[in-house]
Amino acid sequence: INGDARIRFGETLISYVWPVTLSAAAGSFIIFFILVIVRHFGDKRRDGQLRRRREIEHHLLIHMSNPLSDLKAVLLKDADDMEAVAQVAPPLLRFLKGNSYRTMLASLEHLGLYDWSLRQLDSRNRPRKIAAIALLAHWPKPEVKDRLATLLEDRNHLVQFAAVEALALSRDAAYIPVI
């Protein structure tokens, strides 16, 4: 390689390659830090939601042993709290029996969770729809069973599975062929 070629290569390196490399590195660092910030706030939001669910579960357990005077004000502080109650309530209801089961169902219906769950069956938000199905399994009313039976034809397999499980919990022999 002669001297002229080296000079042209050095000029090309200085005028093109280094600026492109440095700008690509700067862009990568910017994207990395943006992703770190987004992840931080996403984790913070998830932790807040988890903490709120634990708090709701705690208040529901307290309400079972010593009924709270204004359960609605204690549980429903935010717009997302109805969904959190819908996710917390089914596991609690699964272990209750007798009078405590009926009392908890009446309390949840008083909160407006029954009507909320019926509205969510038409929702496009899959986790909310599944939470509503799991909750409606504890209200074996005929219109609920019919709505759950129509959800067996949903395109999503998770929704279908939740509807099958809810119909199975209803213990109605008429829906065995549908399942």
Side-chain angles (χ1 to χ4, degrees):
I1 296 180
N2 60 20
D4 249 359
R6 275 192 220 164
I7 292 172
R8 275 186 266 143
F9 177 72
E11 289 173 359
T12 304
L13 186 67
I14 291 171
S15 66
Y16 178 70
V17 174
W18 281 111
V20 169
T21 304
L22 292 177
S23 39
S28 298
F29 280 125
I30 290 170
I31 290 172
F32 174 75
F33 285 114
I34 288 172
L35 291 175
V36 166
I37 290 170
V38 167
R39 175 72 185 257
H40 169 73
F41 287 114
D43 288 348
K44 190 174 180 180
R45 182 173 182 260
R46 250 191 325 273
D47 290 344
Q49 289 173 340
L50 185 61
R51 188 171 41 258
R52 183 65 184 138
R53 282 193 188 122
R54 284 189 202 130
E55 184 180 327
I56 287 171
E57 185 176 17
H58 177 73
H59 286 301
L60 283 173
L61 290 171
I62 288 173
H63 180 70
M64 285 181 357
S65 63
N66 186 14
L68 299 171
S69 60
D70 194 8
L71 184 65
K72 194 170 195 172
V74 171
L75 290 182
L76 304 178
K77 295 179 181 176
D78 192 5
D80 295 331
D81 285 346
M82 192 66 87
E83 183 178 354
V85 172
Q87 291 175 350
V88 167
L92 290 177
L93 288 169
R94 201 168 281 150
F95 295 109
L96 294 176
K97 296 201 185 304
N99 195 28
S100 59
Y101 179 79
R102 287 187 293 278
T103 304
M104 182 60 76
L105 275 179
S107 297
L108 293 175
E109 193 165 359
H110 176 70
L111 286 173
L113 212 54
Y114 176 75
D115 297 328
W116 178 87
S117 297
L118 284 177
R119 282 192 309 271
Q120 296 310 311
L121 290 181
D122 298 326
S123 173
R124 291 182 181 212
N125 185 338
R126 189 178 316 133
R128 192 177 291 166
K129 189 177 204 175
I130 291 171
I133 291 169
L135 190 59
L136 284 173
H138 297 282
W139 279 293
K141 298 178 181 180
E143 68 265 3
V144 170
K145 291 179 191 175
D146 292 339
R147 295 280 305 270
L148 291 174
T150 59
L151 287 174
L152 293 174
E153 298 170 6
D154 195 276
R155 289 183 295 157
N156 189 310
H157 298 294
L158 295 173
V159 173
Q160 289 175 355
F161 180 75
V164 166
E165 194 174 40
L167 285 172
L169 283 174
S170 71
R171 296 183 183 108
D172 189 355
Y175 288 94
I176 290 177
V178 175
I179 294 174

